[in-house]
Amino acid sequence: MKNIFFPNTGKAIYGNRLEGIEEVEIKDKTYDAVKTSLLTESVSKVSTSISGKLVKIFITVKEDVSLETAKSYGAKALEPFSTEQKNYYDFQIYITKDKESEQFPIIGYKHKSKGTLTWTKDR
C-alpha cells in the first residue's frame, strides 16, 4: 500500500543528474572568496546558496550604484569559481538595492554551457 501512495520514497530527488558533482564540488573557501571580492564600499551584503547544480548569489548594493555597475558585480562574483565549476553548475545572481528602485531587482543567469551572464530586461 505504501508504494502505491508514496512511489518515490527513498529515491534521490535529482535522479542521476548530479553524477560527478563530487569532482567539481564547491568548497566554503570559494564562497568566502566571492564575498570578500564583492564586499566593497558599494556592496552592503552578499550571501550564497546551492541547490543541486544551481548556485545562487544574492548581492545587495547601496542606493547610489548604477545599473551597469551592479551588473559588473555579477561577472566579478563568478571569478572565484574554476572553469570546471562554471561548466558544471548553473548560476543565478540576484541584485537588489538597500532602498526600493524602479530598475532593481535584477537577475543574472549563467547556464553551464554559456560563457556570459544573461540579465533580466532593463526596466
Side-chain angles (χ1 to χ4, degrees):
M1 282 303 264
K2 179 183 172 189
N3 289 338
I4 292 173
F5 292 108
F6 303 103
N8 292 326
T9 303
K11 293 183 181 178
I13 294 172
Y14 294 101
N16 63 355
R17 292 176 282 178
L18 298 182
E19 284 183 13
I21 197 167
E22 53 281 332
E23 297 168 15
V24 288
E25 181 181 0
I26 300 174
K27 307 273 188 207
D28 287 339
K29 67 179 183 177
T30 305
Y31 294 121
D32 292 340
V34 169
K35 292 175 185 176
T36 302
S37 70
L38 290 174
L39 284 175
T40 64
E41 294 176 9
S42 301
V43 177
S44 59
K45 184 178 174 185
V46 177
S47 63
T48 58
S49 72
I50 186 166
S51 178
K53 292 174 69 172
L54 179 62
V55 177
K56 296 179 183 179
I57 302 170
F58 303 90
I59 303 170
T60 303
V61 296
K62 297 195 175 166
E63 61 183 277
D64 61 341
V65 174
S66 70
L67 186 63
E68 290 306 313
T69 302
K71 287 181 179 180
S72 72
Y73 292 137
K76 191 172 184 177
L78 296 178
E79 289 175 2
F81 297 97
S82 69
T83 303
E84 293 81 18
Q85 291 168 334
K86 291 178 192 174
N87 291 335
Y88 186 82
Y89 293 92
D90 293 330
F91 293 85
Q92 285 185 347
I93 299 175
Y94 301 87
I95 302 178
T96 58
K97 279 196 172 186
D98 283 333
K99 295 190 177 183
E100 282 193 37
S101 170
E102 289 183 17
Q103 294 181 323
F104 288 83
I106 57 173
I107 302 171
Y109 184 75
K110 185 202 161 303
H111 188 266
K112 64 183 177 184
S113 65
K114 303 291 181 189
T116 59
L117 286 164
T118 303
W119 292 95
T120 53
K121 292 186 178 184
D122 294 343
R123 299 175 194 177

